[in-house]
Amino acid sequence: MAAEAPILDEFRRLRARVPQLTGALAAGVDGLVLAHDTPGVEPDGLAALTAAALGVAVRVADATGRGDFRELLIRGTDGYVATYAAGRTAVLTLLATDGVNVGRLHLEGRRAGARIGELVDAEATPVRRSPAKSSAKDAAKPMPTRTKTARTARTTANARTTTES
């Protein structure tokens, strides 16, 4: 992936702005690692867990009428795991110590997620041979509210209901 080096640069800048960060991971909504800086944490496992948590978060936001997914914060006894939307097809997951300023974590995480989303979306956008009618608003659309995981879970639940009837 060509965007890996710029994403790693973004991670370095993010760590400089939020010294309590202990790890950063950019992943596709499908759970595949795009770039990582996660000492002591296995990146493929974290990306898979992030995709699973994202699927649940998207469903909760959808079921409660809260709109498109933007972020998810988990607080454990030893720190935080924060996941932010990063464009249409990716997420940014940050790991931080318990002493982090959560407001600062959100501010910087949202900004970094937006920049990483631009990198990932630019790489994923196919080159068009002829000009198409699209607006800047279309290019800035957030990630879809329903991921493959959510659709799969809903389809499975519907199949179960149909079979039980």
Side-chain angles (χ1 to χ4, degrees), residues 14-41:
L14 190 55
R15 279 184 181 259
R17 292 188 305 267
V18 184
Q20 297 83 6
L21 283 183
T22 60
L25 170 107
V29 295
D30 56 2
L32 295 178
V33 175
L34 302 174
H36 68 91
D37 176 12
T38 55
V41 177

Side-chain angles (χ1 to χ4, degrees), residues 80-141:
Y80 294 86
V81 178
T83 299
Y84 302 92
R88 294 183 311 268
T89 61
V91 292
L92 168 65
T93 295
L94 302 176
L95 310 176
T97 64
D98 192 43
V100 73
N101 176 321
V102 177
R104 182 66 186 247
L105 177 67
H106 281 321
L107 176 70
E108 298 298 345
R110 290 170 187 152
R111 288 178 178 170
R115 284 189 289 272
I116 290 168
E118 289 172 3
L119 293 167
V120 173
D121 289 348
E123 187 171 293
T125 303
V127 176
R128 294 183 177 157
R129 299 276 182 231
S130 61
K133 293 181 181 179
S134 66
S135 65
K137 183 179 175 183
D138 291 337
K141 283 184 181 175

